[in-house]
Amino acid sequence: MKLHMFPFAPNAAKVRLYLAEKAEAGASIPIEEVTVNLIEGELKTPDYLERNPLGTVPVLALDDGRVLHESLAIIDYLEELYPDPSMWGADAYERGYARQIERIADITGLIPIAREIHSTNSPLGLPPNPPVAEHYHGRWKIGIGFLENAMSDGRPFLAGERVTVADCTLQAILQFARFRELDVLSESPRLTEWCDRFRERPAAKATILL
């Protein structure tokens, strides 16, 4: 299998963190990483668009030629192949809760952060779009605030006592924010502590670049 990715792209970084955490827990998954240079426009080349017509990363290319190109679909596929240890949780509730936290981080965090960045300081060279920037400015505070409050019970990780995909998702989002110098944790001391602690984990040190 090959994972086509760009290390600063949040959805690709999420999958890379997931793979690193699985390996740290003893479930090493044999995948070759292939870097796709978003900044130089490799997503728009005919070869890449044949692999993924949406022109996004990551893409997981299977050995038989089939592909998956949504980060959660990739993760769920790999969890089916390598279920132990689970990166969602030990029982139905844990898995449901972890997915809830992951979706909150992604939908209320990544989407407005990405819109704000791409309309002001796009790494893809997109032109500034002041109306879009104004619309999305600070909207990520809703999701970040929810996650900050969730951690008031002293939990070590976003969904509880164990690392889940939710931690990988938020850490990947925060790396993208740091990549474009957008500070989203200045009013979130619990998440700041979690972020600093998580970045000291071997898996994060092996994959997080910023």
Side-chain angles (χ1 to χ4, degrees), residues 135-153:
H135 177 76
Y136 283 102
H137 177 65
R139 286 184 176 246
W140 40 265
K141 291 183 179 180
I142 298 172
I144 293 297
F146 178 93
L147 298 175
E148 173 73 8
N149 289 335
M151 299 202 73
S152 64
D153 60 6

Side-chain angles (χ1 to χ4, degrees), residues 4-6 9-12 36 38 43 48 52 55-59 69 71:
H4 298 262
M5 61 83 199
F6 184 70
N11 286 319
V36 181
L38 277 64
L43 290 178
Y48 192 82
N52 177 8
T56 59
V57 289
V59 168
H69 49 72
S71 58

Side-chain angles (χ1 to χ4, degrees), residues 16-205:
R16 296 183 74 235
L17 268 173
Y18 160 82
L19 290 168
E21 286 288 348
K22 289 287 276 193
E24 181 67 20
S28 183
I29 303 174
I31 290 181
E32 176 187 348
E33 290 188 346
V34 179
T35 299
V36 181
N37 195 322
L38 277 64
I39 296 174
E40 294 185 1
E42 285 188 34
L43 290 178
K44 299 177 182 179
T45 62
D47 285 346
Y48 192 82
L49 290 173
E50 183 177 353
R51 184 177 297 114
N52 177 8
L54 296 176
T56 59
V57 289
V59 168
L60 180 67
L62 307 185
D63 294 338
D64 63 7
R66 293 179 296 173
V67 298
L68 292 169
H69 49 72
E70 286 294 326
S71 58
L72 281 183
I74 291 170
I75 287 171
D76 281 342
Y77 172 77
L78 295 173
E79 281 289 278
E80 289 281 340
L81 293 181
Y82 302 89
D84 298 317
S86 171
M87 281 288 288
W88 285 115
D91 58 36
Y93 180 79
E94 282 190 8
R95 291 189 290 273
Y97 185 73
R99 286 178 180 276
Q100 172 179 289
I101 293 294
E102 196 280 338
R103 290 289 75 205
I104 289 170
D106 193 41
I107 294 170
T108 68
L110 174 58
I111 291 175
I113 285 171
R115 295 291 188 272
E116 183 170 344
I117 287 174
H118 283 300
S119 61
T120 57
N121 185 25
S122 175
L124 301 180
L126 300 176
N129 190 326
V132 172
E134 181 179 358
H135 177 76
Y136 283 102
H137 177 65
R139 286 184 176 246
W140 40 265
K141 291 183 179 180
I142 298 172
I144 293 297
F146 178 93
L147 298 175
E148 173 73 8
N149 289 335
M151 299 202 73
S152 64
D153 60 6
R155 64 185 66 179
F157 301 106
L158 292 183
E161 296 297 319
R162 57 191 294 166
V163 174
T164 66
V165 177
D167 297 280
C168 300
T169 293
L170 184 57
Q171 192 59 245
I173 293 167
L174 295 175
Q175 176 182 239
F176 183 55
R178 292 190 296 268
F179 179 48
R180 304 315 287 175
E181 300 180 345
L182 178 63
D183 181 9
V184 302
L185 294 185
S186 60
E187 300 175 3
S188 304
R190 299 185 192 99
L191 284 178
T192 297
E193 182 180 347
W194 161 84
C195 181
D196 293 342
R197 186 173 62 251
F198 192 86
R199 290 173 70 186
E200 289 301 312
R201 295 175 62 81
K205 285 186 173 182

